[in-house]
């Protein structure tokens, strides 16, 4: 089955700097890659997603890149702000299994 | 649209009791996923259901755990004879079609004493 690995597990960046979180997946059939943000004590919420027919997607300060050959994808947050502090999860799913498998999460802290 | 509703938000059970967790998906959504989250850990897949069918239960322990999503009413995750190790947050998520955004509920925090 699908296995998603995520790193780093914790990340601390200065406010205004960029943050990058990386994930790899094992199942070459996976074709949908969402990213979720979870604030303390709250539900995970989708922040951006990408499908395998696209190499990059951007939404304001957030971008995701996908390398299908290498089976890895990354989240980039630019001009980080205090409200970006949270745990971020990458995930992958394929059209046959359809279940969404999550990475282990990255705790992002923004230093003022 | 009220979003994905889970209840109860907090549930305390003594060892050996049964826990029933409910999840009402968003209106129009027929795909439900259950995840378990231990403190400071990730979202571990448990089971994926469509109306009246279990599609994938590969992440759910074979004993004591069961899930259903009846034609009418919420999806239920049932844990029989709970043990301390079952203490966790249980999240459900729903989607209208597979491989699209899954919307999460607020979670049920189960504490076994």
């Amino acid at each position: 089955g699908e296995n998603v690995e995520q790193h780093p597990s914790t990340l601390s960046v200065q406010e205004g700097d960029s943050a990058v979180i990386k994930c790899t997946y094992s199942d070459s059939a996976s074709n949908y890659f969402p990213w979720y943000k979870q604030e303390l004590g709250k539900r995970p919420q989708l922040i951006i997603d990408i499908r395998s027919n696209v190499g990059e997607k951007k939404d304001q300060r957030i971008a995701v890149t996908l390398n299908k050959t290498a089976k890895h994808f990354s989240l980039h947050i630019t001009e980080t702000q205090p409200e970006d502090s949270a745990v971020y999860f990458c995930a992958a799913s394929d059209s046959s299994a359809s279940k969404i498998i999550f990475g282990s999460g990255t705790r992002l802290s923004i230093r003022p | 649209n009220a979003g994905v509703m889970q209840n109860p938000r907090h549930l305390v059970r003594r060892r050996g009791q049964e826990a029933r967790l409910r999840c009402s998906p968003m209106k129009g959504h027929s795909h439900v996923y259950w995840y378990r989250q231990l403190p400071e850990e990730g979202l571990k897949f448990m089971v994926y259901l469509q109306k009246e069918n279990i599609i994938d239960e590969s992440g759910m322990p074979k004993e004591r755990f069961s899930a259903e999503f009846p034609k009418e009413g919420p999806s239920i995750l049932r844990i029989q004879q709970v043990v301390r190790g079952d203490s966790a947050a249980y999240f459900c998520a729903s989607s209208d079609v597979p491989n699209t955004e899954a919307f999460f509920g607020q979670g049920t925090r189960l504490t076994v004493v």
Side-chain angles (χ1 to χ4, degrees):
Chain A
E2 176 65 277
N3 182 47
V4 179
E5 295 195 354
Q6 180 173 349
H7 55 93
S9 56
T10 59
L11 180 60
S12 178
V13 301
Q14 194 77 33
E15 183 177 348
D17 287 351
S18 295
V20 180
I21 301 170
K22 298 183 179 182
C23 291
T24 60
Y25 61 99
S26 60
D27 188 348
S28 55
S30 289
N31 57 10
Y32 176 61
F33 306 93
W35 286 87
Y36 283 78
K37 175 183 180 182
Q38 186 179 28
E39 295 175 0
L40 189 63
K42 297 195 174 178
R43 75 182 85 192
Q45 292 192 288
L46 183 81
I47 54 170
I48 195 166
D49 55 13
I50 191 168
R51 296 195 179 273
S52 57
N53 58 348
V54 174
E56 184 174 357
K57 185 175 177 181
K58 198 171 180 180
D59 182 4
Q60 299 183 345
R61 298 186 297 109
I62 293 173
V64 58
T65 58
L66 171 65
N67 183 325
K68 281 175 57 181
T69 305
K71 289 192 279 189
H72 65 70
F73 55 116
S74 302
L75 178 72
H76 304 251
I77 306 174
T78 58
E79 299 171 19
T80 52
Q81 300 169 4
E83 54 265 35
D84 295 330
S85 293
V87 178
Y88 291 80
F89 293 99
C90 62
S93 76
D94 72 84
S95 56
S96 60
S98 297
K99 64 189 181 190
I100 306 169
I101 300 299
F102 285 83
S104 53
T106 296
R107 182 173 299 280
L108 175 63
S109 301
I110 308 300
R111 303 190 303 270
Chain B
N1 196 330
V4 180
M5 302 299 290
Q6 286 188 252
N7 67 82
R9 291 288 308 278
H10 301 274
L11 182 61
V12 179
R13 282 288 176 265
R14 294 189 185 277
R15 280 178 294 171
Q17 290 184 321
E18 179 180 287
R20 281 187 162 231
L21 288 61
R22 294 175 197 80
C23 170
S24 296
M26 285 180 71
K27 190 176 180 181
H29 286 192
S30 59
H31 301 263
V32 166
Y33 313 84
W34 284 92
Y35 293 87
R36 171 180 155 135
Q37 187 174 41
L38 293 169
E40 305 294 316
E41 292 193 12
L43 295 155
K44 183 176 181 294
F45 169 79
M46 296 183 74
V47 61
Y48 162 40
L49 310 103
Q50 292 181 31
K51 280 285 185 182
E52 299 185 273
N53 289 305
I54 297 174
I55 306 302
D56 187 325
E57 56 183 348
S58 58
M60 201 157 66
K62 294 280 186 282
E63 296 180 359
R64 303 191 298 109
F65 285 73
S66 62
E68 62 177 8
F69 188 15
K71 189 176 178 182
E72 301 290 338
S75 174
I76 306 283
L77 180 67
R78 187 183 185 202
I79 311 172
Q80 294 179 299
Q81 299 175 323
V82 296
V83 301
R84 288 243 171 92
D86 296 333
S87 296
Y90 292 84
F91 286 93
C92 83
S94 74
S95 65
D96 53 355
V97 294
N99 264 23
T100 58
E101 179 178 0
F103 293 82
F104 279 81
Q106 294 272 42
T108 293
R109 278 148 185 86
L110 172 66
T111 303
V112 179
V113 297

